[in-house]
Amino acid sequence: QVQLKESGGGSVQAGGSLRLSCAAVGYTYNPYYMAWFRQAPGKEREAVASIYTRLRGGGHAYADSVKGRFTISKDNANNLIYLEMNNLKPEDTAIYYCAASSRYYSLPPLTPSEYDSWGQGTQVTVSS
């Protein structure tokens, strides 16, 4: 298991920006991937972005709905990943969760079942 702690959520107007952070602490394995998911009220949890987090190599993937607006990045030295969110829209409103995967895949996974550790989530609210 990996303990994950998100921060950086908040309320912004449409067109604004936020940066989310996720710290991986107390882990018993070194994740291959970390990702951001989100869940809006009454909807299923959906992928936002995923990134390969081992020291050597790279690779990331994004949901179509956020391509060109969101950027996922990592800081291996401090066991952190970030999600830079620009040009936010009201439909981006959700609880954002950080997740970690202990398994290797040929591409960064974007399905909740491929992740085995989850954070508590941080609320992002975008008003029109």
Side-chain angles (χ1 to χ4, degrees):
Q1 288 290 316
V2 178
Q3 295 178 28
L4 302 170
K5 185 170 178 60
E6 305 96 337
S7 60
S11 297
V12 295
Q13 291 190 324
S17 299
L18 283 173
R19 188 174 84 155
L20 305 183
S21 300
C22 176
V25 298
Y27 51 86
T28 57
Y29 67 84
N30 189 6
Y32 279 99
Y33 299 97
M34 291 179 67
W36 291 97
F37 287 79
R38 66 187 181 186
Q39 189 165 17
K43 295 189 176 181
E44 292 187 354
R45 189 168 298 190
E46 64 175 5
V48 176
S50 173
I51 188 166
Y52 182 78
T53 49
R54 290 291 177 96
L55 189 59
R56 296 182 183 273
H60 45 70
Y62 295 93
D64 289 342
S65 58
V66 306
K67 283 181 181 176
R69 300 188 298 124
F70 292 10
T71 302
I72 190 170
S73 60
K74 62 181 180 176
D75 176 356
N76 285 106
N78 294 297
N79 298 320
L80 289 163
I81 65 165
Y82 303 99
L83 185 68
E84 186 76 35
M85 305 185 292
N86 298 313
N87 190 22
L88 282 159
K89 304 176 181 180
E91 52 263 43
D92 295 317
T93 295
I95 298 175
Y96 283 69
Y97 297 91
C98 180
S101 177
S102 61
R103 291 157 286 184
Y104 178 79
Y105 299 91
S106 58
L107 293 172
L110 291 174
T111 305
S113 62
E114 293 165 323
Y115 290 84
D116 35 41
S117 296
W118 293 86
Q120 293 296 311
T122 185
Q123 177 70 46
V124 171
T125 303
V126 185
S127 58
S128 58

